[in-house]
Amino acid sequence: MRLILLGPPGAGKGTQAVRLAERHGIAHLSTGDMLRAAVAEGSEIGKKAQAIMARGDLVPDDVVVAIVADRIRHADCARGFVLDGFPRTVAQAEALGRMLHENRLDLDAAVALSVDEAALLQRVDNRVREMRAAGKPVRDDDTAEVLKGRIDNYRRQTEPLIAYYRDRGLLKTVDGMGAIEAVSAAIDAAVGGDLVAR
């Protein structure tokens, strides 16, 4: 099973990726984790990424794709993987597709978590209020204003992937507003019993 999870910030992609990986014995591939691991390993691509990040620059698509290509060769990816946080743009999706093709692999599905953005913003507002009321610290980036900006970036850069994968017959859309367990079950149903049984 080789999957991509799509959805705006706060949709629960990370939570669902972890659950998918645990339930189906596949690897959870988070690009942030992979970048940090490549740097820690001191691989050639990790050294290149480290130099770019040290300058404060964004790691270019070709470097990220190379890190993903290296990572999917690890034994824990033999049964499959779920990508969380990549691709973020159509250009990255095209590069990922070429890399998978070169490795004689195909994606099984791109699962889009459909969410009510207004409800996501309200959730963040409620959480911030509850944390402040309890005297707990609130992270600077854990506000409705920051989330709104991240959602705007998602709309511009990442949302076009929904049409991209729909056009390729790979898109599965799941209601991401339910309870965590319900969303997990909906993802399993969307990708189909054949994939889950692999």
Side-chain angles (χ1 to χ4, degrees):
M1 181 187 326
R2 291 178 290 274
L3 303 173
I4 291 172
L5 289 183
L6 301 171
K13 297 183 298 296
T15 298
Q16 292 302 329
V18 168
R19 292 174 67 85
L20 277 163
E22 289 173 354
R23 281 196 318 281
H24 304 298
I26 61 176
H28 169 211
L29 305 184
S30 158
T31 47
D33 291 347
M34 285 186 287
L35 280 167
R36 286 186 288 276
V39 168
E41 287 170 6
S43 67
E44 285 305 311
I45 199 71
K47 290 175 187 171
K48 187 173 181 181
Q50 184 176 28
I52 292 165
M53 291 186 294
R55 294 192 305 265
D57 295 335
L58 290 176
V59 178
D61 294 352
D62 63 323
V63 174
V64 177
V65 170
I67 287 172
V68 173
D70 182 59
R71 181 63 182 84
I72 65 171
R73 291 185 188 103
H74 291 202
D76 66 333
C77 290
R79 290 191 50 160
F81 54 82
V82 55
L83 277 166
D84 165 21
F86 185 83
R88 290 182 187 265
T89 65
V90 170
Q92 289 178 352
E94 290 169 344
L96 175 65
R98 287 190 298 273
M99 181 274 292
L100 290 173
H101 181 73
E102 289 165 8
N103 285 277
R104 294 183 173 84
L105 298 172
D106 293 307
L107 282 176
D108 291 309
V111 179
L113 298 178
S114 175
V115 295
D116 179 333
E117 292 175 9
L120 288 182
L121 293 168
Q122 189 59 53
R123 272 188 204 166
V124 172
D125 271 342
N126 290 345
R127 185 172 64 236
V128 168
R129 269 198 300 279
E130 289 167 6
M131 290 176 75
R132 285 187 177 138
K136 296 179 180 175
V138 177
R139 290 188 346 225
D140 290 341
D141 64 345
D142 197 16
T143 66
E145 293 78 28
V146 170
L147 179 60
K148 187 173 184 320
R150 292 175 62 209
I151 289 172
D152 289 344
N153 286 337
Y154 166 81
R155 272 201 212 99
R156 279 194 312 276
Q157 296 180 347
T158 309
E159 198 169 57
L161 289 174
I162 291 174
Y164 177 86
Y165 285 115
R166 182 184 299 121
D167 291 348
R168 282 149 187 81
L170 293 171
L171 185 72
K172 308 291 183 185
T173 303
V174 169
D175 180 0
M177 293 304 293
I180 291 171
E181 294 78 12
V183 175
S184 296
I187 292 171
D188 282 350
V191 299
D194 292 341
L195 296 180
V196 172
R198 275 191 199 178

